[in-house]
Amino acid sequence: SSDVCSSDLIFDVNCTSCHAAGPMVNLSAGASWNDLVQKPAPTPEACGGVLVVPGQPSMSYLFEKLTNATPCYGRQMPMGEFESDPLPACVTDIVRAWIEEGAPPPPNDAGTD
């Protein structure tokens, strides 16, 4: 198994067991960028937030859900079997850096290829 902190597939590895095709945000490769960047958080999750605000991790609800033990709604993600199972800091640092860089789409995502 690869080191979770060096993975380019953070969402695929940590999120898609719950967040794949369906009514919730789809975090599968090929869909995650379109479902996250500049998109409002689903209600009642929203708390008035946007999932990913390019360049602004502190304004991005996705980042709050990954890093805040008490987000404005629900629980910190990802969920384990019974409770939150927070990602290691090295993983949330990758997400923070991606948002700070303007949340660019990956080479084979968001219809850019």
Side-chain angles (χ1 to χ4, degrees):
S1 72
S2 64
D3 178 7
V4 66
C5 296
S6 64
S7 175
D8 290 334
L9 302 171
I10 289 171
F11 298 142
D12 283 336
V13 170
N14 298 289
C15 310
T16 56
S17 61
C18 294
H19 294 281
M24 295 190 294
V25 176
N26 185 347
L27 297 180
S28 303
S32 58
W33 191 88
N34 281 326
D35 269 22
L36 288 174
V37 178
Q38 297 288 26
K39 300 295 190 223
T43 53
E45 277 285 320
C47 305
V50 172
L51 289 170
V52 172
V53 179
Q56 299 187 339
S58 65
M59 300 294 293
S60 298
Y61 189 63
L62 170 76
F63 192 70
E64 177 182 353
K65 287 291 280 189
L66 293 178
T67 59
N68 188 337
T70 56
C72 74
Y73 182 88
R75 296 187 175 171
Q76 183 175 4
M77 292 288 119
M79 289 295 295
E81 189 173 350
F82 298 109
E83 58 190 32
S84 297
D85 186 15
L87 296 171
C90 61
V91 175
T92 58
D93 287 348
I94 293 168
V95 175
R96 179 198 316 267
W98 171 68
I99 296 171
E100 286 174 344
E101 291 164 10
N108 299 314
D109 206 0
T112 57
D113 57 346

